Amino acid sequence: MTDNSMTLTDKARRFVFDNTDIRGEAITLNSSLQSALEAHAYPESVSVLLGEMATCALLLSTTLKFEGTMTLQARSEGPVSLLVVECTHNRTFRALARFDDTAALSGDMHELMPKGQLVVTVDPEKGKRYQGIIPMEHETLAGCFETYFQQSEQLPTRLWLSSNGKQAGGLLLQALPPHEEKDDAKREESWNRVTMLANTITAAEQQTLEVEDQLTRLFHEEDVRLFDEETINFNCSCSRERTGNALFNLERAEVDQILEEEGDIHMDCHFCSRRYTFTQDDVEKLFASHGSNTGQTLH
Ligand SMILES: [Zn+2]
């Protein structure tokens, strides 16, 4: 196989198998993943995990209908304590990891994040935030979610995720409630057939082949209907205004102490490492404007 990793497109494509109730989505990440990770010097094993997490989060975000952001977090007491991927309905994402850099960071998710927990949070632009917690009881991220789907939605779902830390690919298949095909035996036969075909996907194919080529390779004898492609981009939603708001949440005395000791206040975005600097003057303005906005009175 030739290595197409230089030109691999960052995109997702949804598809359905005609005359069945099976939907799917395939995605590939290349430059967007590298952009998301470039501000950090992550060890390879951590980049690999984050690549898988990003692919997983982006696939999940299409199974949950929302306008806003969806965050997938993995926490553990192991060498990798935290992985976060935040994605939006506009198909952008950002990611970060926290880990013990004195530990031996080799191995897969099971070894790096033992007894971990996955938290999925959906923050819709309108409506209430909701959260789901999934124990990391499987060796793979895909396995954890397959169990979750089975238990929570009763929709059989299979996931294939792969990442080398620079490129990543994901495939999701989901059996929807009966609509096109109501005969149980036929439904099961279709599901078994397409999941068996999908099982033949290799990590190398997921990381180097465009999604259309992957789907042709897997399902050339099936009637697959592809929907429009969606481009995936890295985008960090941090801003000077949001950072200022975070600063405003600190005690004024604490802020003054930092100003006295450091001269200016530097706040780095944990996701993209962009640095926001606030001078004494900026701080005065910030607190003055917030004070008036929230109607606070001075004693
Ligand atoms: Zn940022």
Side-chain angles (χ1 to χ4, degrees):
M1 185 188 304
T2 51
D3 184 0
N4 303 320
S5 57
M6 294 293 280
T7 54
L8 187 69
T9 317
D10 295 75
K11 72 175 172 195
R13 274 195 100 152
R14 294 176 223 207
F15 57 91
V16 290
F17 295 93
D18 273 340
N19 308 314
T20 74
D21 297 303
I22 302 170
R23 66 172 287 267
E25 176 160 353
I27 82 168
T28 44
L29 303 180
N30 188 17
S31 58
S32 64
L33 180 62
Q34 289 156 34
S35 302
L37 304 184
E38 75 183 352
H40 312 270
Y42 290 137
E44 194 188 335
S45 57
V46 173
S47 297
V48 166
L49 281 186
L50 266 181
E52 262 189 40
M53 277 276 285
T55 316
C56 186
L58 287 156
L59 286 173
L60 279 180
S61 72
T62 61
T63 70
L64 308 164
K65 289 194 174 61
F66 69 94
E67 296 226 329
T69 60
M70 190 208 89
T71 311
L72 174 59
Q73 272 189 40
R75 295 181 198 141
S76 90
E77 314 238 308
V80 176
S81 55
L82 179 72
L83 299 175
V84 183
V85 175
E86 186 189 280
C87 42
T88 69
H89 65 274
N90 293 324
R91 294 301 203 162
T92 65
F93 76 100
R94 59 180 188 166
L96 71 81
R98 294 222 172 95
F99 54 92
D100 176 0
D101 53 12
T102 63
L105 291 163
S106 59
D108 55 18
M109 188 190 80
H110 197 57
E111 293 158 274
L112 294 169
M113 307 191 82
K115 299 193 186 89
Q117 199 178 52
L118 292 159
V119 184
V120 181
T121 310
V122 177
D123 268 307
E125 282 164 0
K126 290 174 201 149
K128 276 199 182 131
R129 147 193 279 227
Y130 60 94
Q131 222 166 37
I133 295 176
I134 305 150
M136 288 161 76
E137 283 169 347
H138 279 261
E139 300 231 338
T140 63
L141 191 59
C144 297
F145 276 99
E146 288 171 355
T147 309
Y148 168 71
F149 271 104
Q150 217 159 13
Q151 291 168 350
S152 67
E153 303 205 18
Q154 317 291 323
L155 294 178
T157 304
R158 292 289 316 272
L159 279 165
W160 292 263
L161 307 171
S162 109
S163 159
N164 62 14
K166 290 191 171 70
Q167 286 81 31
L171 174 66
L172 175 143
L173 293 181
Q174 190 165 55
L176 300 170
H179 180 72
E180 295 290 325
E181 178 58 72
K182 296 192 169 72
D183 182 290
D184 280 347
K186 284 187 182 159
R187 285 172 58 81
E188 195 176 326
E189 196 269 322
S190 300
W191 178 249
N192 289 342
R193 191 180 64 251
V194 296
T195 51
M196 242 164 63
L197 291 170
N199 255 337
T200 66
I201 191 95
T202 65
E205 286 169 337
Q206 287 196 296
Q207 293 161 20
T208 58
L209 290 185
E210 295 290 356
V211 292
E212 296 80 3
D213 297 332
Q214 292 181 26
L215 297 176
T216 305
R217 211 301 262 135
L218 296 173
F219 305 122
H220 56 92
E221 287 181 357
E222 305 291 318
D223 295 320
V224 175
R225 192 146 41 96
L226 284 171
F227 297 105
D228 290 345
E229 66 175 68
E230 296 173 274
T231 305
I232 295 171
N233 288 298
F234 160 70
N235 180 46
C236 191
S237 53
C238 69
S239 67
R240 190 171 171 79
E241 192 191 345
R242 280 188 180 200
T243 313
N245 287 340
L247 188 62
F248 183 70
N249 287 330
L250 298 173
E251 291 286 328
R252 180 64 206 254
E254 204 180 322
V255 174
D256 286 338
Q257 195 185 341
I258 303 171
L259 280 171
E260 202 168 308
E261 285 168 7
E262 316 270 337
D264 295 326
I265 293 180
H266 302 292
M267 292 176 85
D268 297 335
C269 172
H270 297 309
F271 284 92
C272 69
S273 296
R274 191 175 299 158
R275 171 161 282 199
Y276 295 94
T277 300
F278 295 87
T279 62
Q280 170 101 45
D281 220 32
D282 295 332
V283 171
E284 295 300 342
K285 281 184 195 145
L286 186 73
F287 276 79
S289 67
H290 275 272
S292 59
N293 284 346
T294 54
Q296 288 177 353
T297 51
L298 294 170
H299 296 289

